[in-house]
Amino acid sequence: MTPMTTEGAKTRTTAPAGSAKRALVGRLSWGLADQAASSISNFAVGMYVARTLGVTAFGVFSLAWVTYGVVLNVSRGLATDPLVVRFSGVPVASWRAAVARSSGTALGLGALLGSACLVAGLALGGRVGPAFACLGVVLPGLLLQDAWRFAFFAAGTGRKAFVNDLVWGIALGPAMVVAAHVDTVSAFVLAWGASAAVAGAYGCLQSGIRPRMTGARGWLREQRDLGYRYLVENVALSGGSQLRAYGLGAIVGVGAVGAVRGAELLMGPFLAVLMGLSLVTVPEAARVLRQAPHRLGAFCFVLGGGQAAAAVLWGGALLLMPDRLGELVLGSVWNDSSLLIVPITLSVAGAGLGTGAAAGLRALAAARRSLRCQLFASACYVGGGLGGAAVAGTVGSAWGVAAATVSGSAVWWLQLRSALRERHRNHIPEVRTS
């Protein structure tokens, strides 16, 4: 069966406008609830490591974290991003067949890249090696759990994604108790990943679908027009973060990586909103494109502008937070992280503004345009982060990233405007004079 594409797809809807809006609000609400559940578990692990093991150990944990981010974005680019673009709102039979192969692709990538990470960790040794080796062990479960989230949101059943992340959080509790007795970064990496594997297994029960790793080759072949561009785009995004983290550690020290991660944790509640919306923005933009294509630009603007404004408000609240409360959350990491609140806030606001345009480009299946945007944004991110670090240390790196993120957001919006104009020209109906 040929997968449904968003480009040129036309469907009729007889649902009242009020009913459609309520359905949209419901799907967005489940996206926020799901990300809240996921972020709470991630925040709990990060906060405990920061408070108990100090800024240097937290830097080691952060290096493992950004490496996981790269692998996760490889999986999303090849497995779940094409699923969301092409199988949102399709018949159930088509969705189930696609999800079996998509989740199998994610699981296979986890096994392959996890093995490489395990070997690299064993070769590295020292303080960083064991954390990377443990990350390699748990990567298959982490990627499978993430694949279920995107599959459920593509089907419009965000409630199931929320329940799955809730299971992850419940499983994380006893795992963290065990890790606390060991009291090492590696133990917490294992606790975090093993609990995700529990949720990944539960996703099979929720969906009634078994991941088909044997279907991975066919999936990659069929989705190669989008998948490989999204792969490069996603890896450029997370790879930029990884290069900045490694470079910052080399220029300033591993403690600087921990300070930056601590500031990001302070933005955690808002980042949960940002990431929660990102789970549903592309499916919703695809629905807008099919049902009311003339509203896509306005939808993306409201989406991005709202996130940027909310980020500024949250950053303002952080500036008013007493030092005593900050030390309660981050321990000794607070002293270094609190100096980064303003530039981190601007970075997140710029990213939030850009995600509105990114959702529109994904819905339009404009993979070439979005790839150009991401490559430019990532190059600016690495250049600004490392250039700022060389000039003014950790604070300089944060301001360099803020400037880069705002610049990247402007490019996203310019490309979306061009894509919308191009689509309008290509879809002007022929006028008959006789």
Side-chain angles (χ1 to χ4, degrees):
M1 178 179 294
T2 302
M4 177 182 292
T5 63
T6 58
E7 189 71 62
K10 295 182 180 179
T11 59
R12 291 185 179 181
T13 177
T14 58
S19 176
K21 287 181 179 179
R22 285 193 297 272
L24 170 60
V25 171
R27 289 190 293 268
L28 291 175
S29 298
W30 281 118
L32 295 175
D34 167 74
Q35 189 58 48
S38 175
S39 296
I40 286 172
S41 60
N42 292 339
F43 181 78
V45 175
M47 184 179 70
Y48 191 90
V49 174
R51 282 179 53 83
T52 60
L53 301 184
V55 68
T56 300
F58 191 53
V60 173
F61 180 83
S62 299
L63 290 176
W65 184 277
V66 296
T67 303
Y68 157 71
V70 174
V71 175
L72 181 65
N73 279 298
V74 170
S75 176
R76 288 180 177 178
L78 294 176
T80 55
D81 283 346
L83 175 78
V84 169
V85 171
R86 287 183 162 154
F87 293 90
S88 292
V90 301
V92 174
S94 299
W95 174 82
R96 290 180 64 86
V99 169
R101 295 186 297 160
S102 173
S103 59
T105 302
L107 188 59
L109 287 169
L112 178 64
L113 298 177
S115 298
C117 196
L118 174 62
V119 172
L122 294 175
L124 280 173
R127 305 186 70 171
V128 176
F132 274 68
C134 292
L135 177 64
V137 172
V138 299
L139 272 177
L142 285 164
L143 298 190
L144 179 61
Q145 192 277 336
D146 187 72
W148 291 127
R149 298 173 69 204
F150 280 80
F152 292 140
F153 278 109
T157 55
R159 177 180 58 83
K160 290 185 177 180
F162 169 74
V163 172
N164 192 274
D165 271 319
L166 199 60
V167 169
W168 183 3
I170 294 171
L172 183 62
M176 285 190 67
V177 171
V178 175
H181 283 87
V182 181
D183 208 32
T184 64
V185 174
S186 300
F188 283 101
V189 171
L190 287 175
W192 167 59
S195 54
V198 173
Y202 181 66
C204 299
L205 297 177
Q206 284 180 288
S207 63
I209 299 172
R210 185 172 62 183
R212 286 181 51 207
M213 292 179 63
T214 55
R217 181 174 298 179
W219 175 262
L220 294 174
R221 182 174 61 251
E222 292 174 16
Q223 310 303 326
R224 64 182 179 273
D225 59 325
L226 294 181
Y228 291 118
R229 287 193 176 98
Y230 289 159
L231 169 65
V232 176
E233 181 180 331
N234 289 355
V235 170
L237 171 64
S238 56
S241 298
Q242 189 176 28
L243 287 175
R244 187 254 184 135
Y246 289 165
L248 185 61
I251 296 171
V252 185
V254 177
V257 181
V260 170
R261 178 59 185 156
E264 292 172 348
L265 280 177
L266 292 173
M267 294 295 294
F270 177 76
L271 289 174
V273 173
L274 182 66
M275 291 184 287
L277 288 174
S278 71
L279 292 170
V280 293
T281 50
V282 176
E284 291 306 323
R287 289 185 178 94
V288 171
L289 180 64
R290 288 197 298 270
Q291 298 171 5
H294 62 285
R295 296 179 180 174
L296 180 61
F299 172 82
C300 294
F301 180 77
V302 171
L303 178 68
Q307 292 179 89
V312 172
L313 290 175
W314 181 261
L318 288 176
L319 289 174
L320 299 176
M321 187 167 67
D323 288 341
R324 184 170 53 187
L325 182 57
E327 292 170 357
L328 179 65
V329 175
L330 294 179
S332 61
V333 178
W334 163 255
N335 293 328
D336 295 322
S337 296
S338 61
L339 301 176
L340 310 179
I341 290 176
V342 173
I344 289 289
T345 298
L346 294 177
S347 296
V348 175
L353 184 62
T355 56
L361 288 175
R362 286 286 176 97
L364 291 164
R368 290 184 179 179
R369 290 184 181 276
S370 62
L371 176 59
R372 287 191 216 116
C373 292
Q374 192 56 68
L375 290 176
F376 173 82
S378 296
C380 290
Y381 181 92
V382 174
L386 298 186
V391 173
T394 308
V395 175
S397 178
W399 278 107
V401 166
T405 306
V406 173
S407 300
S409 178
V411 173
W412 278 105
W413 279 101
L414 289 173
Q415 286 294 322
L416 177 61
R417 185 178 66 173
S418 297
L420 289 172
R421 287 179 175 176
E422 180 181 341
R423 187 181 189 280
H424 178 70
R425 288 195 301 268
N426 293 338
H427 287 76
I428 295 178
E430 180 182 358
V431 177
R432 295 184 179 274
T433 57
S434 61

